[in-house]
Amino acid sequence: SPFLNATFTDDLYSLLGTDPVKGLSSDRANELLDYYGPNTLTPTTQYLWPRLLFKSLCTGFSILIWLGAILCLAAYLIELSTKPDPCTDNLYLGCVLIAVDVICGLFSFFQNYKSSKIMKTFNNLIPTYAKCTRDGVLSTDTEVHNLVKGDLVNVEIGDVIPADIRIIESKGFKVDNSSLTGECVAVARSNTEGTPNILESPNVAFSSALCVEGWAKGLQPTVTASLTLTAKRMVAKKCLVKNLEAIEALGACTTICSDKTGTLTENKMCVVHIWMSDKTYSVLDDNFESTLRNDQGFASLKICGALCSNASVSSDGVMRGDASEKAILSFLIKFDDPVAIRKRYPKIAEIPFNSVNKYQVSVHLEVSSSKYIIVMKGAPECIVSKCSTLIHNNSTINMSAKIKEAANTAIENLANTGERILAFADCILNPKEFPLDYKFDTEDVNFPLKNLRFLGVIGLKDPPREEVRYAIERVREAGVRVMMITGDHPATARAVAHEVGIGTAPNFHVVTGTELRNMTPDLLYLTLEKHYEIVFARTSPTQKLQIVEACQRQGGVVAVTGDGVNDAPALRRADIGISMGITGSQVSKQTADIILMDDNFATIVTGIEEGRKIFDNLKKSVCYILISNVPEIIPVLMFILFSIPLPLGVMTILCVDLGTDMWPAVSLSYEQAEQDVMARPPRSSDPLVSACMLRLVYGHLGLIEFAAGMFAYFIVMAEHGFYPSDLFGIRDKWDNVAVSDVEDSLGQEWTYAERKELERACQAAYFVAVVITQMMNGIICKTRYNSLLHVGMKNNVLKMGLLVELMLACVVCYVPGVNTFFRTYPLRLRW
Amino acid sequence: MADKNKVAEQYYAPPPDLGKWEGFKIFLWNSETGQFLGRTGSSWAKILLFYLIFYLILVGFFAAMLTIFYQTLDSKMPKWQMDASLIGNNPGLGFRPMPDTDAAVESTLIYYKANDKGSVLKWATVIDDFLKQYQKKGSGSGEVPGAENRVPCSANSAALGEKQVCDVPIDDFHPCTPANQYNYEEAGPCVFLKLNKIFNWTPNPYNNTEDLPANMPDDLKQHIKLVSGKKEANTVWVSCEGENPADVENIGPVQYIPRRGFPSYYYPFTNKEGYLSPLVAVLFEKPRTGVLINIECKAWAKNIFYDRYERRGSVHFELMVDRS
């Protein structure tokens, strides 16, 4: 690819037939797409559906069934060739087994097929939108595989580079090439001269490399959020489950490590307080506007706020950008037009915010007076240290130690209420020192960043979501521990935690990142053990990972929410990674198992409830199915040990297992969640089939069912003259086709055909008894903890299931042909 | 340093890693908690007590329900009779001697060597056992309760008393008598036929020559003609024939002893004490030796329907006599 290394971008444009501003025309893009094919890697080989079908037909248990069926048919064929009137039992059995196998196989095949299809759509949905400019219009939802050579692509922090791109314009752009090179150090990438080695060429960013720091600007300087389409698709649940097991794991989850911003709070910063010179003003005050109308300091602050922000306002009033910047902007827009301010002060140079500097600086030209002005925004402690003067009562005074202290207390006070504090400072540069043609260099700073004029402090707050408090209450009732892990100030964290109910005790434990750094893993473990309510503040991504690991060492099932790129390791490490659909970066979404489309913590609660419900219902179904094993197995044992005529034939067993039991068992999974599902502690190492359940199933319910079946069997037998006491040991004569006169307890003599008819009738009675008790058991299994009266019969699917079970039983018994097939007999009512 | 040690003391100690056998030993008997098989003694006692009570109640309930159900039954009379019962009202036939049924061999073959005493004795014993219940009152050890109720009956005898039942005089069955070893030694074996007992079933016999079914053997038709109109004609007739043409050839002459059927006066069967099912001894006088003969015996009455496949109103057996 010669153009990748082309030094001059102009050559590049002509080479690609593209325009640096407008991008490709969509016609040309389509042409190229047709010519080169979609921008995808060769997909991993996927099983074709016949192979899938074959696989689902011939796995594990079904192979046994096939063998059984083949044996049956073979036996039938042998019998056919040797005996004049072969017994059709084997033929029937073989056919039934094959039918069972095929039906089960098809069922699982369709399930697999469906879920793989769903997964495919997921794959199509999640990471695959690039911001791309065509026809001069930036579209945020160009699908990645539709990108073609020559497209202009915008990449922001956290984005996955959608294709191999040549960087044309960038700001502090670094990529993580670890997936390609294995190096974990982010590599700076910009529009510089290329090197012969493409991999090392600093002007190329490879697809799938992560853009981890800074923001890169392709050709269009618009910042937008995407992934609205996915939101539309999953609006109903607001919870996109990528990894289907995750929802089940969520039910078992014991600890939630929640992010603060966006999850617990609305991620809509708004300005609540302003501190200037010596006074704190509350924005919510009614006379706030009038008090500050003619304040010089406030005017400067407004200008500084408007300039020191990358958030933009589009013509329709929609703001784009970082949350706090948006908040400041929407605050300013009430007093002034920031767009107009920006026009008056065009931007000359900029050092973007990063976590090392903790400030951002830009240089602007005041058009009216032809002076340069430096505006700075950042963490208050950092800004205060850089300031030497202060604007006070419309005049600039020196910053004395006393004022500094006052400022610091004010800042501290504001921070304690959980506000995010941003300080602003400016400096009007001397036009003699910095003439109009002065070249500002942001890499090698050649303008003052000290001795600035302190303007004031803005206190921003991200109000907690309304639902969160209730949601956390519910989660805690459910025995799930909620921890907050945030990068914010400890005071902010504490305030929010208190507000949403993560910390209810007045002095709950707050661990800061610095403290955490000095902790051994064991000490962290102990801390987690000691303090139930715990909040981590000022933590780094690695520490987040550390916390998650510590929680898991406690044996917990940990759910982690996160939206940033740096959360990805923690999300992956967690048992359930939850990403945010709106604010989440693409990387976090790719790593996560679950994506909350509304970024709302309350949705997690629904998820937990759903997960527990699913597990509960699964347990119910398993329980239900297991119960009928007992009355199926014991009769055969009785038949062998006590030599009674067989109470339940093979056909009827199959009939119970695969016919009548099927629907109710499935319908149990449609069961509503039990009311106390959220009031129980999370299940810890509670397997699907526990010893306790087996005891209940086999020891109690199964035996009751068996007793009911035997009772029905004995009744039919006794009413026809075979009293139970005479049944034991009768088998040899009973099943001997040669014996045409078996005497019952009352002296009557039965021919073989008559006996077999009676046996069928008994089996039918047994079968019906089992079906009826199974119906009862279905109702019993419906609830695990709640009483039935409490829950009521609201599950229509189950009701239908029970009805169908009954009907199926009737069909099996009464429809001629079917009953001979299943060896049952029309039971007469009067029996 | 001291601080570090403090931290070390707080270390969480994972449970010691035990080998499989060690773990099992602890599972068997945990001296720390006094647990045996993972439960303490009181826990075991509680759970055992619970299950004991639970199963006692279950068994008790089961038994109680069965007892209640038994109250609805009569010890002498089936609850459902004839058509209402699955036994229907179409009796089948049984034959003796039957091959050993306990061996679960589904065979109906009577095979013996006429000049082998052991072989003959084997079949004779089977018949002896069967006929034990037919032995007369006071005939010794084999007497069954209710034998005193038996009175000799004939077509002309008066109605029976409430407890009386008709006797089956097996001593008149010559040559099919125990003393003669049922003629097995003569290579002309006797096979006893009996009609299955069905409670309250009474035959509707072919007692005259009208309406005789077309498939009735000619010799039986002749016989009915002979007795037509007489009281003896009230009989469930019996015929034995070879199943296939070859069998018909091989079967040889057949005698029915003491008469050609089951007289009506034995019916209905009402489970009176001492009741005997009437017998017909079929004497195959000279069956061809060394071949297997398929024989089918049918019972003939207007209310007995015949179906070879379901063995309704008939019985099938094979006979093979060897003389080496």
mmCIF file of all heavy atoms in Angstrom, chain A residues 715-754:
data_model
loop_
_atom_site.group_PDB
_atom_site.id
_atom_site.type_symbol
_atom_site.label_atom_id
_atom_site.label_comp_id
_atom_site.label_asym_id
_atom_site.label_seq_id
_atom_site.Cartn_x
_atom_site.Cartn_y
_atom_site.Cartn_z
ATOM 1 N N ILE A 715 -56.062 -50.851 42.261
ATOM 2 C CA ILE A 715 -57.525 -50.767 42.193
ATOM 3 C C ILE A 715 -58.030 -51.450 40.946
ATOM 4 O O ILE A 715 -58.937 -52.281 40.991
ATOM 5 C CB ILE A 715 -57.978 -49.287 42.249
ATOM 6 C CG1 ILE A 715 -57.949 -48.820 43.681
ATOM 7 C CG2 ILE A 715 -59.360 -49.124 41.660
ATOM 8 C CD1 ILE A 715 -58.509 -47.452 43.873
ATOM 9 N N VAL A 716 -57.413 -51.123 39.832
ATOM 10 C CA VAL A 716 -57.890 -51.727 38.593
ATOM 11 C C VAL A 716 -57.712 -53.235 38.643
ATOM 12 O O VAL A 716 -58.595 -54.003 38.253
ATOM 13 C CB VAL A 716 -57.168 -51.114 37.383
ATOM 14 C CG1 VAL A 716 -57.572 -51.819 36.122
ATOM 15 C CG2 VAL A 716 -57.467 -49.642 37.287
ATOM 16 N N MET A 717 -56.574 -53.653 39.153
ATOM 17 C CA MET A 717 -56.326 -55.085 39.252
ATOM 18 C C MET A 717 -57.358 -55.752 40.158
ATOM 19 O O MET A 717 -57.949 -56.775 39.821
ATOM 20 C CB MET A 717 -54.925 -55.328 39.827
ATOM 21 C CG MET A 717 -53.824 -55.265 38.786
ATOM 22 S SD MET A 717 -53.963 -56.625 37.635
ATOM 23 C CE MET A 717 -52.457 -56.462 36.707
ATOM 24 N N ALA A 718 -57.554 -55.162 41.341
ATOM 25 C CA ALA A 718 -58.418 -55.784 42.333
ATOM 26 C C ALA A 718 -59.861 -55.807 41.857
ATOM 27 O O ALA A 718 -60.589 -56.777 42.078
ATOM 28 C CB ALA A 718 -58.316 -55.044 43.654
ATOM 29 N N GLU A 719 -60.266 -54.761 41.180
ATOM 30 C CA GLU A 719 -61.651 -54.741 40.730
ATOM 31 C C GLU A 719 -61.896 -55.799 39.671
ATOM 32 O O GLU A 719 -63.019 -56.198 39.430
ATOM 33 C CB GLU A 719 -62.009 -53.348 40.200
ATOM 34 C CG GLU A 719 -62.126 -52.349 41.338
ATOM 35 C CD GLU A 719 -62.771 -51.064 40.920
ATOM 36 O OE1 GLU A 719 -62.676 -50.730 39.733
ATOM 37 O OE2 GLU A 719 -63.373 -50.391 41.785
ATOM 38 N N HIS A 720 -60.833 -56.243 39.053
ATOM 39 C CA HIS A 720 -60.999 -57.304 38.071
ATOM 40 C C HIS A 720 -60.712 -58.671 38.651
ATOM 41 O O HIS A 720 -60.731 -59.656 37.939
ATOM 42 C CB HIS A 720 -60.105 -57.057 36.861
ATOM 43 C CG HIS A 720 -60.648 -55.989 35.976
ATOM 44 N ND1 HIS A 720 -60.314 -54.672 36.119
ATOM 45 C CD2 HIS A 720 -61.551 -56.046 34.975
ATOM 46 C CE1 HIS A 720 -60.973 -53.960 35.227
ATOM 47 N NE2 HIS A 720 -61.733 -54.764 34.524
ATOM 48 N N GLY A 721 -60.413 -58.698 39.938
ATOM 49 C CA GLY A 721 -60.265 -59.991 40.559
ATOM 50 C C GLY A 721 -58.856 -60.341 40.973
ATOM 51 O O GLY A 721 -58.645 -61.318 41.667
ATOM 52 N N PHE A 722 -57.875 -59.585 40.543
ATOM 53 C CA PHE A 722 -56.509 -59.872 40.988
ATOM 54 C C PHE A 722 -56.215 -59.018 42.203
ATOM 55 O O PHE A 722 -55.988 -57.813 42.086
ATOM 56 C CB PHE A 722 -55.497 -59.559 39.878
ATOM 57 C CG PHE A 722 -55.522 -60.549 38.759
ATOM 58 C CD1 PHE A 722 -56.283 -60.310 37.626
ATOM 59 C CD2 PHE A 722 -54.785 -61.722 38.838
ATOM 60 C CE1 PHE A 722 -56.310 -61.233 36.599
ATOM 61 C CE2 PHE A 722 -54.807 -62.635 37.811
ATOM 62 C CZ PHE A 722 -55.578 -62.398 36.683
ATOM 63 N N TYR A 723 -56.247 -59.617 43.371
ATOM 64 C CA TYR A 723 -55.979 -58.855 44.564
ATOM 65 C C TYR A 723 -54.476 -58.682 44.722
ATOM 66 O O TYR A 723 -53.708 -59.553 44.325
ATOM 67 C CB TYR A 723 -56.600 -59.537 45.784
ATOM 68 C CG TYR A 723 -58.117 -59.451 45.783
ATOM 69 C CD1 TYR A 723 -58.882 -60.116 46.710
ATOM 70 C CD2 TYR A 723 -58.775 -58.678 44.819
ATOM 71 C CE1 TYR A 723 -60.266 -60.041 46.693
ATOM 72 C CE2 TYR A 723 -60.155 -58.596 44.797
ATOM 73 C CZ TYR A 723 -60.895 -59.284 45.724
ATOM 74 O OH TYR A 723 -62.255 -59.189 45.694
ATOM 75 N N PRO A 724 -54.078 -57.556 45.301
ATOM 76 C CA PRO A 724 -52.642 -57.248 45.368
ATOM 77 C C PRO A 724 -51.796 -58.396 45.895
ATOM 78 O O PRO A 724 -50.729 -58.676 45.376
ATOM 79 C CB PRO A 724 -52.589 -56.050 46.316
ATOM 80 C CG PRO A 724 -53.899 -55.396 46.145
ATOM 81 C CD PRO A 724 -54.891 -56.477 45.846
ATOM 82 N N SER A 725 -52.325 -59.085 46.927
ATOM 83 C CA SER A 725 -51.511 -60.141 47.529
ATOM 84 C C SER A 725 -51.222 -61.251 46.529
ATOM 85 O O SER A 725 -50.208 -61.939 46.624
ATOM 86 C CB SER A 725 -52.231 -60.699 48.756
ATOM 87 O OG SER A 725 -53.557 -61.019 48.396
ATOM 88 N N ASP A 726 -52.126 -61.440 45.579
ATOM 89 C CA ASP A 726 -51.926 -62.520 44.617
ATOM 90 C C ASP A 726 -51.087 -62.093 43.428
ATOM 91 O O ASP A 726 -50.745 -62.912 42.581
ATOM 92 C CB ASP A 726 -53.284 -63.032 44.124
ATOM 93 C CG ASP A 726 -54.031 -63.734 45.219
ATOM 94 O OD1 ASP A 726 -53.389 -64.545 45.904
ATOM 95 O OD2 ASP A 726 -55.230 -63.449 45.409
ATOM 96 N N LEU A 727 -50.819 -60.783 43.353
ATOM 97 C CA LEU A 727 -50.085 -60.306 42.185
ATOM 98 C C LEU A 727 -48.600 -60.614 42.281
ATOM 99 O O LEU A 727 -47.935 -60.804 41.288
ATOM 100 C CB LEU A 727 -50.264 -58.796 42.036
ATOM 101 C CG LEU A 727 -51.569 -58.361 41.399
ATOM 102 C CD1 LEU A 727 -51.660 -56.858 41.402
ATOM 103 C CD2 LEU A 727 -51.658 -58.886 39.980
ATOM 104 N N PHE A 728 -48.130 -60.668 43.534
ATOM 105 C CA PHE A 728 -46.696 -60.862 43.692
ATOM 106 C C PHE A 728 -46.311 -62.259 43.231
ATOM 107 O O PHE A 728 -46.905 -63.248 43.650
ATOM 108 C CB PHE A 728 -46.287 -60.614 45.140
ATOM 109 C CG PHE A 728 -46.510 -59.186 45.548
ATOM 110 C CD1 PHE A 728 -47.651 -58.805 46.224
ATOM 111 C CD2 PHE A 728 -45.577 -58.217 45.197
ATOM 112 C CE1 PHE A 728 -47.859 -57.485 46.566
ATOM 113 C CE2 PHE A 728 -45.779 -56.895 45.545
ATOM 114 C CZ PHE A 728 -46.928 -56.523 46.225
ATOM 115 N N GLY A 729 -45.378 -62.327 42.370
ATOM 116 C CA GLY A 729 -44.902 -63.614 41.893
ATOM 117 C C GLY A 729 -45.693 -64.184 40.754
ATOM 118 O O GLY A 729 -45.451 -65.304 40.311
ATOM 119 N N ILE A 730 -46.637 -63.434 40.238
ATOM 120 C CA ILE A 730 -47.503 -63.960 39.193
ATOM 121 C C ILE A 730 -46.881 -63.798 37.810
ATOM 122 O O ILE A 730 -47.345 -64.360 36.839
ATOM 123 C CB ILE A 730 -48.876 -63.241 39.264
ATOM 124 C CG1 ILE A 730 -49.975 -64.149 38.693
ATOM 125 C CG2 ILE A 730 -48.830 -61.933 38.532
ATOM 126 C CD1 ILE A 730 -51.344 -63.543 38.844
ATOM 127 N N ARG A 731 -45.772 -63.028 37.750
ATOM 128 C CA ARG A 731 -45.266 -62.576 36.463
ATOM 129 C C ARG A 731 -44.999 -63.706 35.485
ATOM 130 O O ARG A 731 -45.346 -63.611 34.315
ATOM 131 C CB ARG A 731 -43.994 -61.770 36.663
ATOM 132 C CG ARG A 731 -43.516 -61.108 35.411
ATOM 133 C CD ARG A 731 -42.178 -60.490 35.595
ATOM 134 N NE ARG A 731 -41.131 -61.486 35.660
ATOM 135 C CZ ARG A 731 -39.929 -61.256 36.157
ATOM 136 N NH1 ARG A 731 -39.665 -60.078 36.653
ATOM 137 N NH2 ARG A 731 -39.024 -62.200 36.182
ATOM 138 N N ASP A 732 -44.396 -64.790 35.968
ATOM 139 C CA ASP A 732 -43.993 -65.860 35.049
ATOM 140 C C ASP A 732 -45.174 -66.378 34.245
ATOM 141 O O ASP A 732 -45.102 -66.552 33.038
ATOM 142 C CB ASP A 732 -43.375 -67.020 35.836
ATOM 143 C CG ASP A 732 -41.946 -66.707 36.198
ATOM 144 O OD1 ASP A 732 -41.380 -65.816 35.532
ATOM 145 O OD2 ASP A 732 -41.426 -67.324 37.140
ATOM 146 N N LYS A 733 -46.268 -66.592 34.976
ATOM 147 C CA LYS A 733 -47.454 -67.090 34.295
ATOM 148 C C LYS A 733 -48.080 -65.979 33.465
ATOM 149 O O LYS A 733 -48.527 -66.192 32.355
ATOM 150 C CB LYS A 733 -48.471 -67.573 35.333
ATOM 151 C CG LYS A 733 -48.292 -69.020 35.713
ATOM 152 C CD LYS A 733 -49.550 -69.499 36.385
ATOM 153 C CE LYS A 733 -49.213 -70.070 37.747
ATOM 154 N NZ LYS A 733 -50.365 -70.140 38.629
ATOM 155 N N TRP A 734 -48.079 -64.795 34.057
ATOM 156 C CA TRP A 734 -48.786 -63.659 33.461
ATOM 157 C C TRP A 734 -48.226 -63.342 32.080
ATOM 158 O O TRP A 734 -48.967 -63.130 31.129
ATOM 159 C CB TRP A 734 -48.642 -62.448 34.380
ATOM 160 C CG TRP A 734 -49.370 -61.240 33.918
ATOM 161 C CD1 TRP A 734 -48.948 -60.373 32.967
ATOM 162 C CD2 TRP A 734 -50.636 -60.780 34.349
ATOM 163 N NE1 TRP A 734 -49.876 -59.379 32.784
ATOM 164 C CE2 TRP A 734 -50.926 -59.603 33.633
ATOM 165 C CE3 TRP A 734 -51.559 -61.248 35.293
ATOM 166 C CZ2 TRP A 734 -52.102 -58.894 33.824
ATOM 167 C CZ3 TRP A 734 -52.726 -60.517 35.465
ATOM 168 C CH2 TRP A 734 -52.990 -59.363 34.737
ATOM 169 N N ASP A 735 -46.916 -63.305 31.994
ATOM 170 C CA ASP A 735 -46.306 -62.895 30.738
ATOM 171 C C ASP A 735 -46.058 -64.051 29.798
ATOM 172 O O ASP A 735 -45.464 -63.865 28.746
ATOM 173 C CB ASP A 735 -44.982 -62.167 31.026
ATOM 174 C CG ASP A 735 -45.242 -60.772 31.541
ATOM 175 O OD1 ASP A 735 -46.340 -60.246 31.277
ATOM 176 O OD2 ASP A 735 -44.358 -60.217 32.217
ATOM 177 N N ASN A 736 -46.492 -65.226 30.188
ATOM 178 C CA ASN A 736 -46.244 -66.378 29.329
ATOM 179 C C ASN A 736 -47.387 -66.527 28.350
ATOM 180 O O ASN A 736 -48.520 -66.817 28.715
ATOM 181 C CB ASN A 736 -46.121 -67.634 30.196
ATOM 182 C CG ASN A 736 -45.544 -68.775 29.418
ATOM 183 O OD1 ASN A 736 -45.659 -68.820 28.195
ATOM 184 N ND2 ASN A 736 -44.915 -69.692 30.131
ATOM 185 N N VAL A 737 -47.040 -66.342 27.084
ATOM 186 C CA VAL A 737 -48.093 -66.375 26.074
ATOM 187 C C VAL A 737 -48.688 -67.776 25.954
ATOM 188 O O VAL A 737 -49.809 -67.971 25.499
ATOM 189 C CB VAL A 737 -47.525 -65.863 24.729
ATOM 190 C CG1 VAL A 737 -46.622 -66.885 24.099
ATOM 191 C CG2 VAL A 737 -48.633 -65.447 23.788
ATOM 192 N N ALA A 738 -47.941 -68.783 26.430
ATOM 193 C CA ALA A 738 -48.417 -70.157 26.300
ATOM 194 C C ALA A 738 -49.519 -70.468 27.298
ATOM 195 O O ALA A 738 -50.304 -71.385 27.101
ATOM 196 C CB ALA A 738 -47.253 -71.113 26.504
ATOM 197 N N VAL A 739 -49.555 -69.695 28.380
ATOM 198 C CA VAL A 739 -50.534 -70.005 29.413
ATOM 199 C C VAL A 739 -51.828 -69.279 29.097
ATOM 200 O O VAL A 739 -51.862 -68.066 29.018
ATOM 201 C CB VAL A 739 -50.005 -69.588 30.796
ATOM 202 C CG1 VAL A 739 -51.016 -69.924 31.863
ATOM 203 C CG2 VAL A 739 -48.690 -70.267 31.075
ATOM 204 N N SER A 740 -52.867 -70.034 28.888
ATOM 205 C CA SER A 740 -54.112 -69.388 28.483
ATOM 206 C C SER A 740 -55.123 -69.390 29.605
ATOM 207 O O SER A 740 -56.263 -69.059 29.404
ATOM 208 C CB SER A 740 -54.681 -70.083 27.249
ATOM 209 O OG SER A 740 -55.002 -71.406 27.587
ATOM 210 N N ASP A 741 -54.703 -69.786 30.796
ATOM 211 C CA ASP A 741 -55.681 -69.789 31.890
ATOM 212 C C ASP A 741 -55.032 -69.434 33.225
ATOM 213 O O ASP A 741 -54.767 -70.297 34.035
ATOM 214 C CB ASP A 741 -56.393 -71.142 31.983
ATOM 215 C CG ASP A 741 -55.390 -72.283 32.035
ATOM 216 O OD1 ASP A 741 -54.181 -72.008 31.843
ATOM 217 O OD2 ASP A 741 -55.801 -73.414 32.284
ATOM 218 N N VAL A 742 -54.761 -68.159 33.403
ATOM 219 C CA VAL A 742 -54.226 -67.710 34.686
ATOM 220 C C VAL A 742 -55.394 -67.400 35.604
ATOM 221 O O VAL A 742 -56.293 -66.651 35.246
ATOM 222 C CB VAL A 742 -53.332 -66.466 34.509
ATOM 223 C CG1 VAL A 742 -52.944 -65.894 35.860
ATOM 224 C CG2 VAL A 742 -52.098 -66.825 33.722
ATOM 225 N N GLU A 743 -55.351 -68.007 36.785
ATOM 226 C CA GLU A 743 -56.484 -67.854 37.692
ATOM 227 C C GLU A 743 -56.274 -66.651 38.585
ATOM 228 O O GLU A 743 -55.167 -66.431 39.097
ATOM 229 C CB GLU A 743 -56.600 -69.112 38.548
ATOM 230 C CG GLU A 743 -57.987 -69.289 39.112
ATOM 231 C CD GLU A 743 -58.103 -70.619 39.861
ATOM 232 O OE1 GLU A 743 -57.361 -70.783 40.843
ATOM 233 O OE2 GLU A 743 -58.898 -71.453 39.465
ATOM 234 N N ASP A 744 -57.304 -65.848 38.749
ATOM 235 C CA ASP A 744 -57.173 -64.705 39.648
ATOM 236 C C ASP A 744 -57.635 -65.074 41.050
ATOM 237 O O ASP A 744 -57.927 -66.232 41.334
ATOM 238 C CB ASP A 744 -57.930 -63.490 39.099
ATOM 239 C CG ASP A 744 -59.425 -63.700 39.057
ATOM 240 O OD1 ASP A 744 -59.919 -64.623 39.730
ATOM 241 O OD2 ASP A 744 -60.103 -62.945 38.335
ATOM 242 N N SER A 745 -57.731 -64.093 41.928
ATOM 243 C CA SER A 745 -58.053 -64.372 43.319
ATOM 244 C C SER A 745 -59.462 -64.920 43.483
ATOM 245 O O SER A 745 -59.809 -65.458 44.520
ATOM 246 C CB SER A 745 -57.929 -63.090 44.147
ATOM 247 O OG SER A 745 -56.779 -62.396 43.772
ATOM 248 N N LEU A 746 -60.299 -64.751 42.489
ATOM 249 C CA LEU A 746 -61.687 -65.173 42.624
ATOM 250 C C LEU A 746 -61.990 -66.368 41.729
ATOM 251 O O LEU A 746 -63.137 -66.660 41.448
ATOM 252 C CB LEU A 746 -62.627 -64.012 42.279
ATOM 253 C CG LEU A 746 -62.468 -62.840 43.232
ATOM 254 C CD1 LEU A 746 -63.196 -61.631 42.722
ATOM 255 C CD2 LEU A 746 -62.983 -63.211 44.614
ATOM 256 N N GLY A 747 -60.956 -67.034 41.266
ATOM 257 C CA GLY A 747 -61.166 -68.264 40.525
ATOM 258 C C GLY A 747 -61.412 -68.077 39.050
ATOM 259 O O GLY A 747 -61.502 -69.038 38.308
ATOM 260 N N GLN A 748 -61.514 -66.843 38.611
ATOM 261 C CA GLN A 748 -61.713 -66.664 37.171
ATOM 262 C C GLN A 748 -60.411 -66.953 36.453
ATOM 263 O O GLN A 748 -59.320 -66.749 36.991
ATOM 264 C CB GLN A 748 -62.127 -65.221 36.880
ATOM 265 C CG GLN A 748 -63.425 -64.845 37.527
ATOM 266 C CD GLN A 748 -63.956 -63.556 36.926
ATOM 267 O OE1 GLN A 748 -64.808 -63.599 36.063
ATOM 268 N NE2 GLN A 748 -63.441 -62.445 37.371
ATOM 269 N N GLU A 749 -60.540 -67.408 35.237
ATOM 270 C CA GLU A 749 -59.346 -67.734 34.482
ATOM 271 C C GLU A 749 -59.218 -66.829 33.279
ATOM 272 O O GLU A 749 -60.195 -66.605 32.557
ATOM 273 C CB GLU A 749 -59.375 -69.211 34.070
ATOM 274 C CG GLU A 749 -59.049 -70.091 35.237
ATOM 275 C CD GLU A 749 -59.438 -71.542 35.017
ATOM 276 O OE1 GLU A 749 -60.435 -71.799 34.323
ATOM 277 O OE2 GLU A 749 -58.738 -72.403 35.520
ATOM 278 N N TRP A 750 -58.016 -66.307 33.072
ATOM 279 C CA TRP A 750 -57.793 -65.277 32.072
ATOM 280 C C TRP A 750 -56.896 -65.808 30.971
ATOM 281 O O TRP A 750 -55.851 -66.392 31.238
ATOM 282 C CB TRP A 750 -57.107 -64.062 32.709
ATOM 283 C CG TRP A 750 -57.930 -63.376 33.753
ATOM 284 C CD1 TRP A 750 -58.240 -63.850 34.984
ATOM 285 C CD2 TRP A 750 -58.536 -62.097 33.633
ATOM 286 N NE1 TRP A 750 -59.002 -62.946 35.652
ATOM 287 C CE2 TRP A 750 -59.207 -61.843 34.847
ATOM 288 C CE3 TRP A 750 -58.601 -61.119 32.629
ATOM 289 C CZ2 TRP A 750 -59.912 -60.675 35.082
ATOM 290 C CZ3 TRP A 750 -59.292 -59.959 32.871
ATOM 291 C CH2 TRP A 750 -59.955 -59.743 34.076
ATOM 292 N N THR A 751 -57.312 -65.573 29.751
ATOM 293 C CA THR A 751 -56.429 -65.923 28.640
ATOM 294 C C THR A 751 -55.369 -64.824 28.508
ATOM 295 O O THR A 751 -55.483 -63.759 29.098
ATOM 296 C CB THR A 751 -57.197 -66.030 27.318
ATOM 297 O OG1 THR A 751 -57.715 -64.738 27.015
ATOM 298 C CG2 THR A 751 -58.301 -67.027 27.409
ATOM 299 N N TYR A 752 -54.367 -65.119 27.679
ATOM 300 C CA TYR A 752 -53.256 -64.189 27.527
ATOM 301 C C TYR A 752 -53.745 -62.827 27.035
ATOM 302 O O TYR A 752 -53.388 -61.788 27.593
ATOM 303 C CB TYR A 752 -52.240 -64.770 26.548
ATOM 304 C CG TYR A 752 -51.028 -63.901 26.363
ATOM 305 C CD1 TYR A 752 -50.046 -63.859 27.345
ATOM 306 C CD2 TYR A 752 -50.851 -63.139 25.214
ATOM 307 C CE1 TYR A 752 -48.928 -63.086 27.196
ATOM 308 C CE2 TYR A 752 -49.727 -62.345 25.045
ATOM 309 C CZ TYR A 752 -48.768 -62.318 26.048
ATOM 310 O OH TYR A 752 -47.662 -61.535 25.896
ATOM 311 N N ALA A 753 -54.599 -62.865 26.014
ATOM 312 C CA ALA A 753 -55.073 -61.604 25.442
ATOM 313 C C ALA A 753 -55.824 -60.805 26.492
ATOM 314 O O ALA A 753 -55.649 -59.589 26.614
ATOM 315 C CB ALA A 753 -55.959 -61.879 24.243
ATOM 316 N N GLU A 754 -56.647 -61.489 27.266
ATOM 317 C CA GLU A 754 -57.421 -60.791 28.291
ATOM 318 C C GLU A 754 -56.504 -60.200 29.351
ATOM 319 O O GLU A 754 -56.693 -59.068 29.799
ATOM 320 C CB GLU A 754 -58.423 -61.761 28.949
ATOM 321 C CG GLU A 754 -59.587 -62.122 28.049
ATOM 322 C CD GLU A 754 -60.268 -63.414 28.456
ATOM 323 O OE1 GLU A 754 -59.808 -64.056 29.428
ATOM 324 O OE2 GLU A 754 -61.233 -63.784 27.796
#
